[in-house]
Amino acid sequence: MITSNLRPVALFALSLLLNACFYPPRTQVLPIERTQVELKLPYDLALDAVMHVITAHAYRVQANDPTHGIIEAQTVKFTPKDADCGIVGSAFGKEAVEPTQDSSAVYTFHVKPDGPEASTVSVQGIFATPLRVPFHPLSNAECISRGVQERKLLKEVEAQAAITRRPVFKTGPVNMAPAQK
């Protein structure tokens, strides 16, 4: 049995063991020049190349504003290699926050014309995951991108841009079948 003099010490020691903390992400936000590419494509075809990559990944398009060149696409898949979500620490050690099936990654693509035959495409990833810290209410952790997915997506946009062309329509006589009576 714990004596009354030791009871506060025992409760304090127990609270230290059960106490857990959240340490926010330490990764620095990427400068814009590391998440953009120049394409030798007119604005409309650059938008088509971006949409092709989004469709190929089966991302859900949340917003598509071709007038301003903004496309937002969402997925639930990302890993700690893609984004720093912080660390949960306790008396038992520290662990990186792992994304769950309820996580979200939103990629915002900005397409800007750069003359009549060129465009600039940039992408920014916003990552979030539920944060479960023992003995604390459930909250949401906003993660900081490491730039991995943005660079990968931009390489795919560049590859798609290299093969994107305007459709070619053939001119000439049109064969019309006689009308059926």
Side-chain angles (χ1 to χ4, degrees):
M1 178 170 249
I2 299 177
T3 65
S4 61
N5 290 341
L6 292 178
R7 193 170 290 154
V9 173
L11 287 174
F12 178 73
L14 182 62
S15 72
L16 285 177
L17 284 175
L18 296 178
N19 193 18
C21 307
F22 172 68
Y23 301 96
R26 300 182 81 189
T27 302
Q28 297 294 317
V29 177
L30 295 172
I32 191 71
E33 59 272 0
R34 293 196 50 208
T35 58
Q36 75 179 17
V37 293
E38 299 287 330
L39 303 178
K40 294 190 184 295
L41 272 183
Y43 176 76
D44 61 323
L45 294 180
L47 280 171
D48 288 348
V50 170
M51 282 303 296
H52 180 82
V53 170
I54 290 170
T55 303
H57 282 280
Y59 292 163
R60 193 179 104 219
V61 176
Q62 290 185 268
N64 186 356
D65 182 358
T67 303
H68 296 99
I70 299 171
I71 304 169
E72 287 185 359
Q74 180 184 24
T75 184
V76 296
K77 298 175 185 172
F78 74 93
T79 69
K81 291 178 183 176
D82 301 327
D84 179 359
C85 295
I87 295 173
V88 173
S90 70
F92 303 109
K94 294 180 179 180
E95 290 183 15
V97 175
E98 290 280 333
T100 68
Q101 70 267 12
D102 297 324
S103 298
S104 172
V106 177
Y107 300 104
T108 304
F109 293 86
H110 294 271
V111 182
K112 295 181 182 173
D114 192 13
E117 294 298 318
S119 302
T120 301
V121 176
S122 63
V123 63
Q124 178 186 16
I126 307 279
F127 301 88
T129 190
L131 180 60
R132 291 175 176 82
V133 179
F135 305 106
H136 288 79
L138 182 66
S139 62
N140 202 32
E142 291 185 20
C143 311
I144 297 177
S145 175
R146 299 182 194 277
V148 174
Q149 288 301 318
E150 290 90 337
R151 285 189 291 277
K152 179 178 169 255
L153 289 167
L154 287 174
K155 283 184 181 187
E156 291 177 28
V157 167
E158 284 180 306
Q160 182 61 39
I163 60 172
T164 299
R165 300 285 179 262
R166 292 200 186 283
V168 176
F169 298 102
K170 294 182 181 182
T171 58
V174 177
N175 289 337
M176 296 182 67
Q180 297 286 331
K181 292 186 180 183

